[in-house]
Amino acid sequence: MQRKATALDVAKRAGVSRSAVSLVLNGRGDGNVAKESQDRIRQAAADLNYSPNPIALSLRNQRTRVIGIVSDEVVVSPFDGNIIGGADDVARAHGFVTVVMDTERDASRDESAVETLLDRQVDGLMYVTVGLKPLDVPQGMLRIPSVLANCYDSSPAPRLHHVIPDEVSGGREATEHLLQLGHRDIAFLAGAATSPAVPLRIVGHREAMAKAAIPVREDRVFMAGWDINDGFHGAMGLLSATERPTAIVCANDRLAIGVALAAARLGLSVPRDLSIMGYDDESRIAATMVPALTTMALPLREMGAAAMSMLLEQIEDPAKRSTSDGSGHLETMVPCRLVVRESTGPVPTL
């Protein structure tokens, strides 16, 4: 069996000292080792397939290189699990591993989940939720570097940085897409009033209409719910009227399915007679719907990656805790992305 390369082997191949190898491969080369020597060390390490021993590195740094993630339902969700996926990508790229505990939406289990992870000596903590929501932050998260993803500290004086989608710009861009296609009578099926995301998306919708100097009809904006059945009944009311909208923005993709079913029930063609805009770009729904759904994609993996990057910065530099963007603000908003497919088209001609 071929012997595993050591740091000394790398040092000999690169023509440097063993301490220089340690400094460079542990991320402390700048200012201590010449740039050319750093390049030779990295090349030698690649040639020899060498990587530092993670256990020895942890002992020297007094770190476990483990990040604890608490989720309310994300682990069992086919949707927001992408947040954890994005976070894990960044963690692994920096030599960390993640351990995830799911509370299954039982808030009474938050503190115990955090304490369990703290007992495992994790270097940092992240809390991830399904859907944007306020969070009663577990006290244990205030003891070590911590960050929130898709949720925010509900206390009057927030203490942790949070990463959330830019819901206002998402609602605005969804409506702007329809306006650019010539639509002027646009309805908005806005989900449920209990979601903090809903009023933000409505604000974006109103901003887009105001910018286009088009009055918003209040009977065109209402809470419908989140499910297919809600979308169907909401759309039946809108589309059965003598004066029906030419486009409908839905607060999620499941509502959009309901709208498409209502259009089919009434003999309307999508998008020839009615354009439908979704929200979320939900896997196995938006792209496979007939016609394929134009939607706003929530930046789930991007949020996870941004939150993990901030957390790792806090771990490396404790001065950045709670203000890891360097500005003193505790909020980072990640833009949603417009995905144009087949369910939207030009305004119908009379």
Side-chain angles (χ1 to χ4, degrees):
M1 183 180 296
Q2 187 175 2
R3 181 177 66 87
K4 180 176 172 61
T6 66
L8 185 58
D9 295 327
V10 175
K12 289 178 179 178
R13 189 180 185 95
V16 299
S17 67
R18 190 196 177 291
S19 61
V21 171
S22 178
L23 285 168
V24 171
L25 297 184
N26 290 337
R28 302 195 304 276
D30 290 345
N32 294 308
V33 181
K35 177 67 167 59
E36 291 123 351
S37 296
Q38 291 190 47
D39 293 340
R40 290 202 311 275
I41 290 169
R42 293 191 183 96
Q43 185 60 54
D47 293 343
L48 296 171
N49 196 27
Y50 171 79
S51 60
N53 184 309
I55 296 176
L57 186 60
S58 295
L59 290 172
R60 286 197 298 273
N61 293 340
Q62 294 186 323
R63 293 178 184 161
T64 61
R65 302 194 76 79
V66 176
I67 302 297
I69 300 179
V70 179
S71 76
D72 64 346
E73 197 181 29
V74 174
V75 174
V76 296
S77 166
F79 187 56
D80 285 9
N82 277 310
I83 299 177
I84 291 180
D88 189 62
D89 286 345
V90 172
R92 285 189 290 109
H94 288 80
F96 286 76
V97 297
T98 57
V99 177
V100 186
M101 295 192 67
D102 199 307
T103 65
E104 299 182 3
R105 294 203 176 191
D106 183 352
S108 67
R109 297 168 60 182
D110 284 355
E111 290 286 357
S112 63
V114 166
E115 291 301 326
T116 297
L117 292 168
L118 289 173
D119 287 344
R120 268 62 177 179
Q121 302 296 309
V122 296
D123 292 331
L125 288 165
M126 179 185 298
Y127 200 110
V128 182
T129 60
V130 174
L132 180 65
K133 62 186 66 172
L135 178 71
D136 186 7
V137 174
Q139 290 301 302
M141 294 189 73
L142 304 178
R143 289 163 28 201
I144 65 171
S146 298
V147 69
L148 309 176
N150 212 28
C151 52
Y152 52 91
D153 190 342
S154 63
S155 66
R159 299 147 293 180
L160 296 182
H161 199 114
H162 60 262
V163 180
I164 59 175
D166 189 343
E167 301 284 14
V168 173
S169 69
R172 182 171 57 244
E173 191 169 352
T175 299
E176 286 175 345
H177 169 68
L178 296 170
L179 290 168
Q180 289 165 4
L181 290 170
H183 295 276
R184 295 297 179 264
D185 191 350
I186 303 171
F188 197 108
L189 298 188
T194 55
S195 168
V198 166
L200 299 175
R201 294 176 187 178
I202 293 175
V203 167
H205 170 70
R206 292 184 183 277
E207 286 182 357
M209 297 290 279
K211 184 178 179 181
I214 300 172
V216 175
R217 287 180 48 174
E218 295 306 318
D219 62 337
R220 294 290 201 242
V221 180
F222 59 90
M223 304 298 174
W226 292 116
D227 294 330
I228 294 173
N229 193 52
D230 299 321
F232 177 82
H233 289 294
M236 286 297 290
L238 287 168
L239 300 176
S240 298
T242 303
E243 186 182 5
R244 64 172 184 259
T246 63
I248 299 177
V249 180
C250 301
N252 73 353
D253 295 338
R254 295 175 186 272
L255 280 173
I257 293 175
V259 173
L261 292 173
R265 171 72 64 87
L266 296 172
L268 300 175
S269 174
V270 177
R272 186 186 64 201
D273 302 317
L274 176 72
S275 285
I276 303 174
M277 164 70 70
Y279 208 110
D280 290 346
D281 196 26
E282 187 168 351
S283 174
R284 299 186 296 276
I285 289 182
T288 56
M289 181 176 148
V290 179
L293 185 64
T294 298
T295 187
M296 295 302 302
L298 280 174
L300 302 174
R301 295 193 76 88
E302 294 89 342
M303 286 193 296
M308 182 59 72
S309 295
M310 290 177 185
L311 182 56
L312 296 183
E313 286 182 11
Q314 292 181 38
I315 292 170
E316 294 299 330
D317 184 358
K320 293 185 177 181
R321 285 187 63 178
S322 298
T323 57
S324 59
D325 65 352
S327 66
H329 298 298
L330 295 176
E331 179 174 270
T332 294
M333 290 195 294
V334 183
C336 301
R337 177 173 52 89
L338 175 66
V339 181
V340 179
R341 296 193 179 99
E342 301 165 8
S343 68
T344 54
V347 64
T349 56
L350 298 178

